[in-house]
């Protein structure tokens, strides 16, 4: 977009279109920090001002937000980061404070010649610090549609075509007032969007953290996966060579990845606690029922040897129940116990181990039955169903897709849809790597002891070698030790 200077527009009479263009430029920016910078730069360009500052109102004071100055940038390399934030009381003592208090525009030809009877005065500390000379000022309160002053804009040193400092043309006053009004509306909109985003994010983090906290084994999992994922994405952005040299995540894409990581396990709300937190093959109440049958069998035993044998068998069951694998000799012994009958007080008989108990104890790996494992896997489908009902903004539209793919694998061995490499974007691949790493290193998982970081990295490499995970991502994650800062923070 090409916009002439304010002077050209005033002289040519075509300033209306330029005002419209600037209004569009301001209204299209929703990031508050970038918006404030744009407000200053656009109004400086309109008025041919050498510099400009913007202060936002917070209760009874103005707080410094933006500073721009072409002369200092050219001669001293200064930018707004060098201007320390400070607070200006809203009263008649300062120029900006007076404008905020009264809501009036101040067009000052030369701050060095302010009459002593004026209530406000010029603070020369800025000039002294940077060896600069402020002369003309155009100070504009930023009022919203209700007339509330949201802040104050100071335009510094109007320049003519020869670069000489001149007073601001009084004809700017009404135009700048109009632009300032548009800027105030844009600030309110940006703040509203920021508030809504903050509220949504707070609800998201609270909800997900509550779901994770249902089990001590998953507490903090989503937070860490989000931290690992963002750190890995930042490493990709910093890569100057290699497979990711041409890849760069924008700020909206990073936010989309962060939301996806936080929400990837939200579907676990649909998984029963007894399954999610299962750390033994048989629940305590089931083991107590078996213990009662063994007591009855021991009481009914004819010889002490039989009683001792039954006690040894029960100790074997207790140990087996704690294991996350099935020893080779266990099946035969279990089937033998299932064939033994015990007489109940009711007069009926029952096996020492029921068919359901035998089936659970014969699980080869872990503690979950096939049905329970399927229930655990169903959390991804719950995640999809939940996230697809959320009206995400445009830049977050892919959150359901990325979040639902964190258990998919490049070779099609993942779930729930068995997607393969062509269907898995980089964001989904990142989540797969970081989710596995955290699951491996998290303490006290019900099905196994925690791995060290080095052990987890070797497992990631093995998964990448067989084609399940993205090899380049895994190597970047490991070589840059993406995980270390997050692990250190949690210690």
């Amino acid at each position: 977009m090409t916009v002439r200077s304010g002077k050209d527009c005033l002289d040519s009479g075509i300033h209306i279109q330029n005002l419209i263009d600037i209004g569009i430029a301001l209204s299209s920016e929703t990031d508050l920090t970038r918006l404030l910078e744009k407000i200053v730069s656009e109004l400086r360009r309109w008025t041919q001002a050498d510099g400009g500052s913007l202060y936002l109102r917070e209760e009874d004071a103005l707080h410094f937000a933006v500073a721009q100055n072409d002369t200092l940038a050219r001669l001293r390399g200064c930018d707004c980061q060098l201007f320390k934030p400070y607070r200006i009381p809203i009263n008649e003592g300062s120029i900006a404070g007076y404008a905020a208090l009264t809501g009036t525009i101040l067009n000052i030809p030369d701050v060095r010649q302010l009459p002593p009877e004026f209530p406000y005065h010029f603070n020369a500390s800025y000039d002294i610090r940077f060896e600069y000379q402020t002369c003309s000022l155009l100070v504009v309160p930023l009022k919203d549609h209700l007339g509330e002053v949201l802040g104050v804009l100071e335009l510094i040193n109007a320049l003519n075509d020869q670069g000489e400092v001149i007073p601001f043309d009084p004809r700017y006053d009404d135009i700048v007032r109009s632009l300032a009004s548009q800027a105030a509306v844009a600030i309110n909109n940006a703040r509203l969007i920021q508030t809504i985003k903050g509220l949504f994010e707070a609800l998201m983090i609270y909800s997900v953290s509550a779901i994770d906290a249902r089990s001590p084994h998953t507490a903090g999992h989503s937070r860490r996966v989000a931290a690992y994922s963002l750190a890995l994405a930042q490493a990709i952005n910093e890569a100057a060579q290699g497979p990711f040299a041409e890849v760069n995540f924008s700020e909206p894409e990073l936010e989309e990845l962060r939301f996806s990581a936080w929400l990837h396990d939200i579907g676990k709300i649909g998984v029963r606690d007894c399954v999610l937190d299962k750390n033994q093959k048989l629940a305590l109440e089931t083991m107590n029922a078996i213990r009662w049958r063994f007591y009855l069998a021991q009481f009914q035993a004819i010889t002490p040897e039989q009683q001792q044998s039954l006690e040894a068998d029960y100790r074997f069951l207790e140990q087996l129940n704690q294991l996350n694998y099935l020893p080779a000799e266990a099946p035969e012994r279990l089937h033998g116990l299932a064939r033994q009958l015990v007489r109940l007080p009711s007069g009926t008989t029952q096996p020492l181990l029921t068919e359901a108990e035998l089936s659970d104890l014969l699980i080869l790996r872990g503690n979950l039955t096939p049905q329970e494992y399927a229930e655990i896997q169903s959390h991804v489908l719950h995640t999809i169903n939940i996230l697809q009902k959320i009206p995400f903004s445009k830049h977050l539209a892919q959150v359901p897709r990325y979040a639902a793919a964190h258990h998919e694998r490049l070779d099609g061995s993942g779930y729930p849809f068995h997607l393969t490499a062509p269907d898995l974007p980089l964001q989904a691949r990142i989540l797969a790597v970081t989710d596995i790493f955290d699951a491996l290193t998290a303490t006290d998982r019900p099905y196994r002891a925690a791995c060290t970081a080095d052990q987890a990295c070797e497992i990631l490499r093995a998964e990448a070698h067989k084609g399940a995970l993205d090899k380049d991502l895994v190597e970047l994650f490991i070589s840059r030790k993406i995980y270390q800062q997050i692990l250190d923070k949690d210690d």
Side-chain angles (χ1 to χ4, degrees):
M1 179 182 71
T2 301
V3 180
R4 304 188 200 186
S5 70
K7 181 177 183 300
D8 290 338
C9 295
L10 286 170
D11 292 343
S12 64
I14 62 169
H15 61 275
I16 294 178
Q17 183 58 49
N18 286 272
L19 283 172
I20 294 172
D21 291 342
I22 292 175
I24 292 172
L26 295 181
S27 63
S28 64
E29 182 59 71
T30 58
D31 180 272
L32 184 58
T33 300
R34 291 196 297 265
L35 173 63
L36 299 178
E37 291 282 353
K38 183 172 288 188
I39 289 170
V40 177
S41 62
E42 290 289 353
L43 270 74
R44 280 183 55 224
R45 183 158 60 93
W46 179 269
T47 58
Q48 292 185 271
D50 184 45
S53 301
L54 191 148
Y55 309 86
L56 289 180
R57 180 172 190 166
E58 295 181 17
E59 296 181 351
D60 60 346
L62 297 173
H63 292 260
F64 174 87
V66 175
Q68 299 174 6
N69 191 290
D70 288 347
T71 296
L72 291 179
R74 183 174 63 253
L75 298 180
R76 299 173 61 89
C78 291
D79 59 33
C80 64
Q81 294 180 354
L82 295 179
F83 300 100
K84 295 182 179 179
Y86 55 92
R87 177 180 179 275
I88 299 177
I90 297 179
N91 56 37
E92 294 185 343
S94 66
I95 294 174
Y98 182 88
L101 180 67
T102 63
T104 58
I105 289 181
L106 299 176
N107 191 333
I108 304 173
D110 190 340
V111 295
R112 296 166 296 183
Q113 298 181 15
L114 284 174
E117 65 270 19
F118 277 20
Y120 51 82
H121 65 277
F122 174 66
N123 185 343
S125 60
Y126 170 96
D127 285 6
I128 295 171
R129 180 182 177 193
F130 294 102
E131 299 178 356
Y132 185 75
Q133 181 60 65
T134 299
C135 183
S136 58
L137 276 181
L138 183 57
V139 185
V140 188
L142 303 177
K143 296 182 182 179
D144 65 11
H145 63 291
L146 297 176
E148 294 291 327
V149 175
L150 303 184
V152 171
L153 173 72
E154 286 186 344
L155 299 172
I156 304 168
N157 286 351
L159 302 175
N160 62 18
D161 293 340
Q162 289 72 45
E164 300 168 335
V165 178
I166 60 174
F168 285 92
D169 192 315
R171 290 179 296 173
Y172 288 143
D173 291 5
D174 288 340
I175 296 173
V176 170
R177 181 185 289 111
S178 174
L179 291 172
S181 177
Q182 293 182 60
V185 172
I187 289 173
N188 262 345
N189 289 341
R191 281 176 163 172
L192 179 59
I193 291 172
Q194 197 173 61
T195 299
I196 293 172
K197 287 177 60 178
L199 178 61
F200 177 76
E201 183 165 344
L203 287 172
M204 173 191 73
I205 291 174
Y206 176 82
S207 300
V208 171
S209 298
I211 292 169
D212 282 355
R214 289 169 61 199
S215 166
H217 314 303
T218 58
H221 170 67
S222 297
R223 173 183 58 81
R224 290 190 298 270
V225 170
Y228 291 138
S229 298
L230 274 188
L232 184 51
Q234 293 288 2
I236 290 172
N237 281 357
E238 295 166 6
Q241 55 187 3
F244 300 114
E246 303 300 320
V247 180
N248 186 78
F249 291 107
S250 66
E251 285 300 320
E253 287 172 333
L254 289 174
E255 185 173 50
E256 188 174 49
L257 175 63
R258 182 167 63 89
F259 273 61
S260 302
W262 266 104
L263 292 166
H264 77 283
D265 269 350
I266 194 171
K268 284 185 176 176
I269 195 172
V271 179
R272 291 175 297 157
D273 287 347
C274 63
V275 175
L276 192 64
D277 206 28
K278 188 177 182 183
N279 59 0
Q280 296 179 342
K281 292 179 172 63
L282 298 177
L284 177 61
E285 56 269 22
T286 303
M287 286 300 294
N288 286 338
I290 294 174
R291 171 80 274 190
W292 172 242
R293 284 180 231 135
F294 270 77
Y295 277 140
L296 291 176
Q298 286 175 297
F299 180 77
Q300 296 165 16
I302 298 174
T303 66
E305 290 76 12
Q306 289 175 325
Q307 293 177 337
Q308 293 173 3
S309 178
L310 285 166
E311 185 63 26
D313 285 335
Y314 183 76
R315 298 304 170 202
F316 159 73
L317 293 179
E318 281 189 319
Q319 294 172 2
L320 181 62
N321 197 40
Q322 303 290 332
L323 299 178
N324 60 3
Y325 67 94
L326 185 67
E329 70 281 4
E332 183 178 353
R333 190 169 181 180
L334 289 172
H335 282 291
L337 292 174
R339 287 191 293 268
Q340 294 185 45
L341 299 177
V342 60
R343 188 173 63 257
L344 302 179
S346 62
T348 61
T349 60
Q350 186 178 22
L352 284 175
L353 291 177
T354 66
E355 289 186 12
E357 294 160 354
L358 176 64
S359 177
D360 286 0
L361 290 168
L362 287 172
I363 296 172
L364 291 176
R365 287 195 310 165
N367 301 313
L368 299 175
T369 66
Q371 295 77 18
E372 290 168 338
Y373 187 65
E375 184 175 345
I376 288 285
Q377 289 187 321
S378 73
H379 81 275
V380 181
L381 297 176
H382 293 311
T383 291
I384 296 172
N385 291 333
I386 292 170
L387 297 184
Q388 284 182 338
K389 292 178 173 63
I390 297 176
F392 288 107
S393 57
K394 184 177 180 180
H395 80 282
L396 298 176
Q398 296 300 316
V399 166
R401 179 188 178 199
Y402 299 155
H406 68 280
H407 280 298
E408 300 288 356
R409 300 293 178 258
L410 303 184
D411 58 0
S413 63
Y415 64 88
F417 303 118
H418 305 290
L419 302 177
T420 56
D423 299 313
L424 294 173
L426 186 56
Q427 291 89 334
R429 300 179 187 206
I430 289 173
L431 292 182
V433 171
T434 57
D435 181 67
I436 290 176
F437 180 84
D438 189 69
L440 291 170
T441 55
T443 58
D444 298 326
R445 282 291 173 118
Y447 42 85
R448 51 147 187 82
C451 294
T452 65
D454 289 341
Q455 290 170 332
C457 288
E458 288 308 308
I459 293 173
L460 289 178
R461 277 200 171 110
E463 290 295 300
H465 180 72
K466 73 178 188 180
L469 297 178
D470 189 305
K471 181 179 179 181
D472 295 326
L473 279 178
V474 168
E475 287 306 315
L476 181 63
F477 184 81
I478 294 173
S479 64
R480 291 285 299 272
K481 291 191 174 181
I482 300 296
Y483 50 86
Q484 196 61 57
Q485 184 177 356
I486 288 88
L487 289 176
D488 290 344
K489 190 179 295 185
D490 277 2
D491 286 344

